[in-house]
Amino acid sequence: MENAPSDTELTAALRSGIETGDFLKNGKLLPERALAEVLEVTRTRMRRILDLLEEDGTVFRRHGQGTFVSPPPAVGASPFRAVAAKVMPRDVMEVRLEIEPALAALAAQRATSKELKTLEQLTQATLEASDTQAYGVADDIFHYKIAELAHNPLFLTVYDSIRAVRRQAEWTQRRETRYSASTLTRLGEQHEQLFSSISARNSHAAAEIMETHLLSVSNAMLRDRTYSREG
């Protein structure tokens, strides 16, 4: 077909729909079939375009869970390997408690209406997570988006450094298997409160709720002494 769009044009159209939120629902892309219908291409072609977006890190897939919009990969791993080997959850939480309340406050001041729409979907994704692994994925995207909505590139770089350390630390994977169903429910409810305060442009409340949320995360992680320096 002479008028058939090129892969480049399809990729651009898909990126645009992701950015506007038109192709998202609860933090995930619409099903492959729906995207193919909207963009008027075959599912085989759409699968190829999604493969390209997954390769460049725009989206990532989880078998049985769907296709998620991903934050960019954490900053280069090599500078943080030595630190990650020494860092324990308590160290990370001390830094997060200093950084993330400020990010939440700035997000409340600076997020656009379009960005708040995306954050609402990401909030819902953390509430609908079926297990701790799915929650871990949704939670990472949710917190990264708040850092992004602060619209401060230096702050975002600092936050991304924290992500890089967490991803390399051995305790990260073990932590995600330890959250109970009640813990996931409580953390999800705090995400809802956090979104509400950010969307209401209430910087003070956003910072306070973020601090409360991170203390809940810290308590859940540090409850198991296998993560402590003595364990």
Side-chain angles (χ1 to χ4, degrees), residues 19-229:
E19 290 174 0
T20 61
D22 292 340
F23 291 167
L24 300 177
K25 182 177 181 180
N26 297 338
K28 296 189 290 186
L29 258 69
L30 297 176
E32 187 180 282
R33 177 180 296 175
L35 290 173
E37 290 176 356
V38 170
L39 295 174
E40 299 182 336
V41 296
T42 65
R43 291 185 67 180
T44 299
R45 186 107 186 268
M46 178 53 58
R47 194 172 298 119
R48 185 169 75 243
I49 299 302
L50 289 172
D51 287 342
L52 294 173
L53 292 182
E54 186 171 28
E55 287 174 8
D56 70 16
T58 300
V59 301
F60 64 97
R61 290 154 166 159
R62 285 288 184 271
H63 182 67
Q65 297 175 21
T67 302
F68 294 82
V69 179
S70 61
V75 292
S78 55
F80 299 100
R81 284 182 185 137
V83 176
K86 302 174 185 177
V87 163
M88 299 302 290
R90 191 185 313 277
D91 303 317
V92 172
M93 294 312 304
E94 285 178 355
V95 177
R96 292 186 69 185
L97 279 162
E98 293 296 325
I99 297 296
E100 293 192 58
L103 289 171
L106 289 173
Q109 297 172 20
R110 300 173 179 175
T112 66
S113 297
K114 184 186 298 184
E115 289 170 334
L116 289 174
K117 179 180 177 182
T118 299
L119 184 62
E120 183 177 20
Q121 294 175 333
L122 297 178
T123 303
Q124 190 64 31
T126 68
L127 294 170
E128 296 181 354
S130 57
D131 53 37
T132 52
Q133 183 179 16
Y135 175 82
V137 171
D139 179 68
D140 181 44
I141 300 171
F142 173 80
H143 281 273
Y144 182 88
K145 177 55 68 174
I146 291 176
E148 196 173 44
L149 299 191
H151 291 285
N152 182 319
L154 184 55
F155 244 150
L156 186 59
T157 299
V158 172
Y159 179 76
D160 220 16
S161 300
I162 298 171
R163 289 177 66 227
V165 170
R166 289 175 64 203
R167 289 193 175 199
Q168 293 179 75
E170 292 183 1
W171 47 262
T172 301
Q173 287 296 101
R174 296 200 301 272
R175 180 210 66 184
E176 290 184 355
T177 66
R178 305 276 176 145
Y179 283 163
S180 66
S182 61
T183 298
L184 292 181
T185 298
R186 182 172 69 256
L187 297 180
E189 289 172 349
Q190 291 170 351
H191 283 173
E192 281 190 299
Q193 296 166 8
L194 190 50
F195 167 73
S196 294
S197 63
I198 291 173
S199 63
R201 307 295 184 183
N202 191 332
S203 297
H204 181 70
E208 284 194 338
I209 294 169
M210 178 65 87
E211 182 176 0
T212 298
H213 174 62
L214 293 176
L215 288 171
S216 295
V217 172
S218 180
N219 290 336
M221 284 197 303
L222 299 177
R223 190 175 298 125
D224 187 333
R225 288 181 61 82
T226 61
Y227 297 149
S228 71
R229 295 188 185 278

